[in-house]
Amino acid sequence: MSEELFAQMRQAVIDGDPAAAAALAEQALASGVPPLDAIDNGFVPGLTYVGEQFGAGELFLPDMMLAARAMQKAVAVLEPEMQRQATERHVLGRVVLGTVKGDIHEIGKNLVGMMLATSGFEVHDLGVDVAPERFVEAAREHSADVVGVSALLTTTMAGQRTVIEQLEAAGLRPKCRVIVGGAPASSTWATEIGADGYSEDAIGAVALVRQLVGA
Ligand code: B1M
């Protein structure tokens, strides 16, 4: 049953059909499929496929935009249930999160933010195309324990290093840990730029942030 539903979810994203994606998300909730399973096993594979086809020149930017829109519609349906299922209520730590300057990919970053928030962290999401100075300002303003920097493009990932350099220059580095993520990042990259950690997905990001703040 779930496998069939997951296949339909994948197809709805490939078709760039927000109405179908939202209806399938509703169906998943009604059948008791955990929201994160629906995202990871249903909708994300659709987006991965579209990304591969785009990379191979078989699909084009509008296809990617439509697929992203369908995915976002599904996540919007699933998000309230993810929040409802959150068990911990006290604040485990403060996280400032954003996608680097020049990069507008937000779906993965939003999932990381959502998972952290539902796990008990206070999340300040700065959005996409965030200048390094803005990360620094927000880290100071919110006394961040952790700054999370997402990048999806090989051409923008250097921005993760810039954020770390600017946090250092502002004297905030001793107080706040930095984690990086997004498709082109890796633990080797994290080490190279002096980040405190890397996670390949949203669940891993929660475990990493917990570990870094000792929660
Ligand atoms: Co773009 N895009 N895109 N895109 N896009 C990729 C990333 C690409 C790999 C596609 C491809 O060519 N195969 C490619 C990058 C190639 C490269 O750099 N090596 C690419 C390109 C080239 C581009 C443009 C340059 C295309 C163009 O204009 N010619 C352009 C750039 C725009 C810009 O940012 N300046 C562009 C635009 C777009 C859209 C706007 C159409 C859309 C984004 C819409 C949106 O976000 N609102 C889009 C999409 C949807 C994709 C793909 C298909 C899917 C990305 C996604 O949302 N994945 C992507 C191909 C792919 O990844 N397969 C592609 C689902 C999401 C759940 O996964 O984001 O990886 P992900 O997040 C994961 C983990 O990475 C991790 O956890 C998340 C959840 O598990 N994670 C973190 C992410 N951030 C983290 C932070 C953390 C920890 C973990 O801590 C801080």
Side-chain angles (χ1 to χ4, degrees):
M1 161 64 186
S2 286
E3 288 313 313
E4 197 188 316
L5 193 57
F6 292 154
Q8 289 175 343
M9 288 168 168
R10 178 179 181 277
Q11 197 57 47
V13 172
I14 294 170
D15 294 342
D17 186 342
L24 289 161
E26 298 278 9
Q27 203 179 321
L29 293 179
S31 337
V33 174
L36 205 60
D37 275 3
I39 290 172
D40 282 348
N41 300 319
F43 297 112
V44 167
L47 215 44
T48 304
Y49 175 82
V50 171
E52 284 164 3
Q53 294 296 301
F54 174 80
E58 297 291 333
L59 288 178
F60 303 98
L61 195 56
D63 302 305
M64 242 185 353
M65 292 171 81
L66 288 171
R69 203 169 300 159
M71 169 87 192
Q72 283 170 319
K73 200 80 186 168
V75 172
V77 170
L78 298 169
E79 187 176 1
E81 179 58 15
M82 288 170 81
Q83 281 166 359
R84 201 190 63 75
Q85 287 180 6
T87 45
E88 289 163 275
R89 291 279 169 248
H90 62 286
V91 175
L92 298 177
R94 293 180 190 81
V95 181
V96 161
L97 185 65
T99 301
V100 289
K101 190 168 172 56
D103 195 327
I104 61 167
H105 294 86
E106 64 181 340
I107 297 172
K109 182 265 299 164
N110 289 350
L111 285 176
V112 170
M114 214 184 294
M115 288 303 295
L116 284 168
T118 56
S119 303
F121 290 91
E122 185 182 300
V123 177
H124 300 275
D125 188 339
L126 308 180
V128 296
D129 190 18
V130 181
E133 301 78 20
R134 180 74 194 102
F135 278 99
V136 172
E137 206 178 278
R140 189 180 284 121
E141 181 187 342
H142 301 294
S143 304
D145 300 298
V146 175
V147 172
V149 193
S150 181
L152 262 287
L153 299 170
T154 44
T155 48
T156 58
M157 64 192 290
Q160 294 178 323
R161 189 201 296 269
T162 313
V163 172
I164 294 174
E165 286 169 353
Q166 297 216 6
L167 285 168
E168 260 158 15
L172 292 173
R173 203 58 183 94
K175 288 194 277 178
C176 91
R177 308 270 71 88
V178 179
I179 69 161
V180 294
S186 64
S187 41
T188 312
W189 169 247
T191 307
E192 187 185 323
I193 63 173
D196 298 292
Y198 156 79
S199 168
E200 68 171 353
D201 58 26
I203 302 249
V206 174
L208 179 61
V209 172
R210 274 178 174 281
Q211 183 204 321
L212 290 173
V213 303

